[in-house]
Amino acid sequence: LGIEIQEFYLTELRQGDWQSRLNQYTDLLRDFQGDLSIHNAFLWIDHLGLDPEIAELTRRRYDFVFMIAKELGCKVIVSHFEWHPFIRGDWLKRWQEGLVQFWDRYINIAEREGFVLVGENTSEPRPEIIKPIVDKLDSDRFKFILDVGHANLFSEVPLEEWLTTFGSDLVYLHAHNNYGDYDAHNPVFRGTVNFDHLFHFLDKLEIAPTITTEIYGDGLLESLDFLEQKIKASHAYRKNRQPALRTGAPIVSELVVR
């Protein structure tokens, strides 16, 4: 079992005694043998530099998380595209081109430090909003993460269309569930996402993304057990033979370092 660290994106931590928290993580993870990912900063992000002050803050927040990733040995950094519903038409093309330019710098860092960067869907209704960004970057260091809970809430197309659109560029997946009304981050069995169907389609496409739970509350252990069994039964995952399951953890505890 691996871990996706989900705490250093918090502004209050970055502006506070982050060094003590980093030391605590370092001690807790000293003998940890699983793989590590980290979630990047999100919300109030300006990738395009429309507001120079917010753009500079964005770079500082990203640089901070990249530094933490290096210190803790995280190999995957999860980020959001931060699309908004008013970004349409010609403005959408400008936004896509701006993100390609923004991420180019961080791909260079990823190549130097051995990171893989994955961009996550949030409120995007269709995969073609963000697919051109991944295509134009055309890098082994920048791939796609499908958040199935977000897709269930915001997508105008079936989940299968996200899988087929990204194909082998889909290397990471956030697993949680909801009823299509709000981003509840429920256990995988509590909501309208059909995970049996999801695994069937992953097998059909022969793709085996790393799966990280984002379940904040009861049902985490049961969800991990369910996902572990689905992974073991999947021919795509058996063929891949890579560590495939992680849990998102705002606070590292004995639960996730078991």
Side-chain angles (χ1 to χ4, degrees):
L1 182 65
I3 298 171
E4 181 182 308
I5 297 169
Q6 298 184 345
E7 187 173 4
F8 286 95
Y9 60 75
L10 297 171
T11 300
E12 54 267 34
L13 180 58
R14 181 174 60 85
Q15 294 178 342
D17 188 10
W18 61 265
Q19 185 65 61
S20 294
R21 196 71 178 122
L22 175 60
N23 293 341
Q24 184 180 8
Y25 271 83
T26 301
D27 290 340
L28 285 169
L29 296 170
R30 193 175 308 281
D31 298 320
F32 184 66
Q33 299 299 312
D35 293 320
L36 293 174
S37 312
I38 192 167
H39 203 299
N40 206 351
F42 62 97
L43 298 176
W44 304 288
I45 294 295
D46 180 8
H47 292 119
L48 272 62
L50 300 177
D51 185 317
E53 291 183 2
I54 299 178
E56 176 58 28
L57 177 61
T58 298
R59 286 188 290 271
R60 290 205 308 269
R61 293 172 73 190
Y62 275 33
D63 290 349
F64 174 74
V65 173
F66 273 59
M67 179 271 292
I68 297 295
K70 181 178 179 180
E71 290 291 323
L72 293 177
C74 302
K75 293 304 182 184
V76 177
I77 301 177
V78 179
S79 303
H80 292 181
F81 290 97
E82 299 294 341
W83 176 84
H84 298 282
F86 61 81
I87 302 177
R88 308 271 181 173
D90 290 341
W91 180 236
L92 175 60
K93 294 180 181 178
R94 181 182 172 188
W95 176 79
Q96 292 166 339
E97 291 169 357
L99 259 73
V100 170
Q101 294 176 13
F102 176 89
W103 280 110
D104 213 35
R105 170 177 180 257
Y106 288 98
I107 287 174
N108 290 333
I109 297 173
E111 289 173 347
R112 184 176 70 244
E113 303 295 345
F115 299 141
V116 173
L117 315 180
V118 291
E120 175 184 346
N121 63 300
T122 49
S123 60
E124 295 85 1
R126 307 180 70 88
E128 56 263 30
I129 290 174
I130 49 184
K131 183 63 161 61
I133 299 168
V134 178
D135 287 345
K136 289 179 181 179
L137 287 169
D138 189 24
S139 172
D140 290 338
R141 295 294 174 179
F142 193 98
K143 296 296 182 181
F144 178 64
I145 165 177
L146 176 64
D147 187 301
V148 296
H150 293 164
N152 193 51
L153 186 58
F154 294 108
S155 181
E156 297 172 352
V157 299
L159 200 60
E160 303 90 85
E161 189 165 328
W162 289 85
L163 300 176
T164 54
T165 297
F166 283 96
S168 61
D169 283 327
L170 198 172
V171 301
Y172 204 97
L173 187 146
H174 273 166
H176 56 101
N177 214 332
N178 60 63
Y179 290 98
D181 49 0
Y182 75 103
D183 195 16
H185 286 264
N186 288 337
V188 296
F189 47 80
R190 191 181 303 156
T192 51
V193 177
N194 186 330
F195 279 87
D196 288 323
H197 182 66
L198 172 66
F199 274 92
H200 171 76
F201 216 81
L202 289 173
D203 269 353
K204 182 178 179 180
L205 296 174
E206 295 191 336
I207 54 178
T210 298
I211 299 176
T212 292
T213 61
E214 278 199 323
I215 298 162
Y216 309 141
D218 67 287
L220 172 60
L221 292 179
E222 293 87 346
S223 295
L224 287 170
D225 288 341
F226 170 83
L227 292 169
E228 187 173 21
Q229 292 305 311
K230 299 301 290 186
I231 288 169
K232 287 180 178 178
S234 162
H235 72 78
Y237 281 94
R238 289 199 302 270
K239 182 178 178 181
N240 189 47
R241 294 181 178 273
Q242 297 295 319
L245 187 58
R246 306 182 189 187
T247 183
I251 298 175
V252 175
S253 68
E254 61 273 12
L255 171 63
V256 296
V257 296
R258 62 180 181 175

